[in-house]
Amino acid sequence: MNTTELAADPQLARWQRFRSSRNAALASDHGWLTLTSFQWLEYRPAAVELAPGLWSTDGTTAFLTAAASDGLTLVETGEPVEGTISAVLSDEESLMWVQYGGDDGCQVVVELAMRADKYAIRTRDSQSPAFTEFDGVPTFDFRPDLVVEARFAPYPEPVDVPIATANPLVDGVHRSVGELVFRLPGTEHEFHLQAEEEKLGALTVTFHDETNGESTDEWRKVSTAKPRVDSSGNATVVLDFNRAINYPSAFTPYGTCPMTVKNNSLDYRIAAGEKEPGVF
């Protein structure tokens, strides 16, 4: 599509800018596409795959013991790691902790993470084929009919709903703040999706639909702006399924991404937004 055509359709032009930003974010240094392992730490110092040193935890603190010859440096300061260092995280926190390899010593970053109240590490390798061969996420063509207005029905108080994640050993929680209520083209019934609140009051919904496992990953998510409240007190948002995106677990087996709540399944083909990524 040429510049003139884009200018004539500002909605499409905004989506094109969104797609450019999304692909650029995925291609960031040591981002999700560079993940090459996920490993739980043991209670005794032990070697791990793809990273030098000896790693362990006592349940509350993570430890790394390394020699200067291992070539590890701290990500934050660049200081060499020699001897034993430690770090403490809360559940769901992560720390880009140490790095090594390559001409600059920064090819691989080791991320320390606390998941399900247990310590783990993830290696992030800038030479991972998923990263070096990435040229954008495949998407459906833009569908203006799948940009719909939704009514936001907030709950009196947020409701924590237990959910599974992409890692069967990690449980998750969906903090539902309310429901988005809307109709889709060709249907007469209303859909209800439970939403989570993000920064500045924005909403995110994670959903299944009938394209999953065929042309899309098993679940996706879409975000909205903060609901607008009219003079009658009704809150609405624009729900643009063209902006439906994959979770990191669609690109890597090393994610711990949240799955959907039970009721967020649409008996509808959302043929919009990101498709299932190719084999990287």
Side-chain angles (χ1 to χ4, degrees):
M1 180 168 290
N2 60 40
T3 304
T4 301
E5 290 173 311
L6 282 175
D9 190 342
Q11 190 178 53
L12 177 59
R14 287 193 295 271
W15 179 70
Q16 294 280 24
R17 290 193 294 270
F18 169 80
R19 291 304 322 155
S20 295
S21 296
R22 164 68 171 163
N23 286 326
L26 279 171
S28 62
D29 292 343
H30 297 111
W32 293 115
L33 299 180
T34 65
L35 288 180
T36 52
S37 74
F38 180 100
Q39 304 170 73
W40 298 107
L41 297 190
E42 299 182 8
Y43 282 90
R44 57 177 180 79
V48 298
E49 295 181 1
L50 305 180
L54 299 176
W55 303 74
S56 65
T57 179
D58 63 4
T60 59
T61 304
F63 302 95
L64 165 61
T65 300
S69 58
D70 289 322
L72 288 165
T73 61
L74 294 172
V75 170
E76 185 176 359
T77 65
E79 180 183 354
V81 178
E82 186 171 4
T84 299
I85 60 174
S86 63
V88 176
L89 300 178
S90 299
D91 197 33
E92 294 301 315
E93 286 187 335
S94 293
L95 169 67
M96 298 301 181
W97 200 12
V98 295
Q99 59 196 356
Y100 70 96
D103 294 338
D104 59 0
C106 303
Q107 177 181 324
V108 180
V109 167
V110 184
E111 171 196 2
L112 179 68
M114 173 73 90
R115 298 292 183 270
D117 292 315
K118 296 185 293 185
Y119 280 102
I121 61 166
R122 288 194 285 210
T123 49
R124 296 173 178 252
D125 189 341
S126 60
Q127 294 305 304
S128 165
F131 177 68
T132 59
E133 298 173 13
F134 178 69
D135 62 356
V137 186
T139 68
F140 293 96
D141 291 338
F142 183 78
R143 290 275 303 272
D145 60 324
L146 290 179
V147 182
V148 299
E149 184 175 86
R151 175 172 56 85
F152 177 55
Y155 296 149
E157 297 290 339
V159 178
D160 287 342
V161 183
I163 57 172
T165 74
N167 186 314
L169 299 178
V170 178
D171 293 328
V173 174
H174 184 285
R175 173 154 285 193
S176 300
V177 296
E179 296 180 358
L180 294 181
V181 184
F182 57 95
R183 285 188 169 87
L184 290 169
T187 65
E188 295 182 358
H189 62 284
E190 289 185 328
F191 296 94
H192 295 246
L193 293 181
Q194 293 183 49
E196 289 186 290
E197 188 174 69
E198 305 295 343
K199 294 179 179 179
L200 303 177
L203 301 176
T204 294
V205 291
T206 302
F207 66 94
H208 291 294
D209 73 272
E210 292 184 349
T211 67
N212 295 165
E214 176 190 300
S215 53
T216 62
D217 197 48
E218 292 301 323
W219 67 94
R220 295 180 289 169
K221 67 176 179 177
V222 62
S223 298
T224 76
K226 180 179 180 179
R228 294 183 178 181
V229 181
D230 63 21
S231 57
S232 300
N234 297 314
T236 59
V237 298
V238 173
L239 187 57
D240 185 354
F241 283 104
N242 295 284
R243 299 193 179 209
I245 63 173
N246 295 314
Y247 274 97
S249 53
F251 303 95
T252 171
Y254 307 115
T256 57
C257 304
M259 292 185 179
T260 65
V261 293
K262 182 178 179 180
N263 295 329
N264 276 17
S265 294
L266 304 175
D267 57 341
Y268 194 92
R269 292 180 57 81
I270 302 293
E274 291 187 349
K275 295 182 179 180
E276 186 170 18
V279 177
F280 293 110

